[in-house]
Amino acid sequence: MCGIVGLFLKDKSLEPRLGALLSEMLVSLTDRGPDSAGIAIYDGAAAKGRAKITIQSSAPAVDFPGLEAELGKKIEAKVSSTVKSTHAVLDIPAGKLDEARAAIAELRPNVRVMGAGEAIEIYKEVGLPADVVKRFDVTKMTGSHGVGHTRMATESAVTTLGAHPFSTGPDQCLVHNGSLSNHNNLRRELIREGMRFETENDTEVAAAYLSSKIAHGQNLGEALQSSLDDLDGFFTFVVGTKNGFGVVRDPISCKPAVMAETDQYVAFGSEYRALANLPGIDNARVWEPEPSTVYFWEH
């Protein structure tokens, strides 16, 4: 029993409030998952030609000092960083993304990459949603869309890496309520394709599956449609890409879900209480997403 939220803004005037709105939505679902929590924020106004890598360290006082200069020297490019508690966001040239990830692994082997791309930032840690939101000052963040998750662990350890969202491709992330029964077989197939995994979590496999489909030319909507044929188990997915936001539920759809749409936004919550304080919710179209049906929006 986990809690998922998602918010895709159509109205740019709401973008300064994205972090605050998404945080309130997530905190409202705290009792659905007290183990860990995380949020992915997409910055619709990200600088062109630049990319971001969000990293996490269990010893930030050791790992973060000097990294900016060392990484810049290693990839021969200007690097800047913003530290937030156990996480740091590294700003690099977009063309240096893969090179920078390899360099980080060499320079700081104990650091883990939470997400990377031109627009995405991911913050996740063990703890209650309110504590995680406060720790990373999420309420002040701006952006065009985002997703959040509060976790009740069932199949893997309670760790930072085991928290959602999972990101396995550039500007891609996934949050999940449910469990997959064929994730071990899928993991082996994806490893043969060259995918790498940080955890034993079934949700990471789902994220990697979608990343693989997108890498082979499908858009997010098509990749979610494919998941209905290839993934076994109970699942509700909310997925983000640089420009898109998607939702899909398995054919049985035993996990709760509700959506709302207005001229200003599309919102998702595991329960209606997550949507109750959104602007204009009284006039929104509110519905339960259908089983085996892909819902997909794109800027």
Side-chain angles (χ1 to χ4, degrees):
M1 186 177 79
C2 298
I4 302 175
V5 296
L7 187 59
F8 179 87
L9 300 179
K10 303 176 186 179
D11 184 349
K12 286 186 173 295
S13 70
L14 287 178
E15 291 188 1
R17 298 175 59 192
L18 176 67
L21 292 170
L22 201 58
S23 296
E24 183 178 7
M25 293 169 70
L26 185 61
V27 170
S28 75
L29 298 180
T30 296
D31 60 354
R32 294 192 62 85
D35 298 330
S36 56
I39 280 184
I41 297 283
Y42 289 86
D43 183 0
K48 290 186 178 181
R50 305 294 295 179
K52 297 184 281 189
I53 303 177
T54 308
I55 58 174
Q56 184 270 351
S57 170
S58 59
V62 174
D63 287 325
F64 293 165
L67 178 58
E68 183 179 300
E70 292 174 54
L71 181 60
K73 183 177 180 180
K74 191 79 172 176
I75 67 173
E76 298 180 337
K78 181 181 178 181
V79 175
S80 61
S81 63
T82 303
V83 175
K84 291 186 177 182
S85 185
T86 56
H87 288 45
V89 179
L90 302 170
D91 182 277
I92 62 171
K96 296 279 189 176
L97 190 57
D98 291 339
E99 185 180 349
R101 290 191 67 153
I104 291 167
E106 178 183 340
L107 293 168
R108 297 291 191 275
N110 294 323
V111 160
R112 293 293 177 263
V113 173
M114 299 289 98
E118 295 181 13
I120 193 172
E121 295 181 17
I122 293 179
Y123 300 91
K124 59 183 186 178
E125 276 291 2
V126 173
L128 297 173
D131 296 333
V132 172
V133 163
K134 183 178 180 180
R135 185 173 197 168
F136 300 113
D137 213 9
V138 176
T139 58
K140 295 181 181 178
M141 295 186 70
T142 67
S144 57
H145 56 297
V147 302
H149 186 276
T150 183
R151 182 177 183 228
M152 180 176 288
T154 56
E155 294 192 11
S156 58
V158 178
T159 64
T160 300
L161 285 178
H164 303 211
F166 279 93
S167 180
T168 53
D171 283 313
Q172 298 165 23
C173 75
L174 178 146
V175 292
H176 170 208
N177 184 16
S179 60
L180 303 179
S181 57
N182 65 335
H183 61 95
N184 287 323
N185 289 336
L186 281 172
R187 188 192 308 272
R188 287 191 286 270
E189 293 175 11
L190 291 165
I191 288 173
R192 284 195 290 268
E193 287 186 17
M195 299 295 292
R196 298 178 62 185
F197 292 88
E198 297 273 4
T199 74
E200 296 300 316
N201 195 297
D202 59 336
T203 304
E204 188 179 13
V205 175
Y209 169 87
L210 294 177
S211 294
S212 174
K213 291 296 182 182
I214 291 171
H216 284 87
Q218 292 188 356
N219 63 29
L220 174 57
E222 293 167 337
L224 290 172
Q225 190 65 48
S226 296
S227 74
L228 292 168
D229 296 322
D230 295 336
L231 302 184
D232 292 333
F234 303 116
F235 57 86
T236 296
F237 296 145
V238 179
V239 184
T241 65
K242 181 181 177 182
N243 299 311
F245 174 82
V247 174
V248 69
R249 302 171 81 196
D250 68 83
I252 298 176
S253 292
C254 64
K255 299 299 181 181
V258 61
M259 300 193 71
E261 183 171 14
T262 72
D263 291 339
Q264 293 185 297
Y265 59 80
V266 179
F268 175 95
S270 293
E271 299 179 36
Y272 178 78
R273 57 179 156 149
L275 314 180
N277 291 326
L278 288 173
I281 191 65
D282 291 341
N283 298 314
R285 181 173 77 92
V286 179
W287 77 99
E288 179 182 351
E290 295 289 335
S292 299
T293 302
V294 172
Y295 298 86
F296 175 52
W297 291 264
E298 195 167 36
H299 285 125

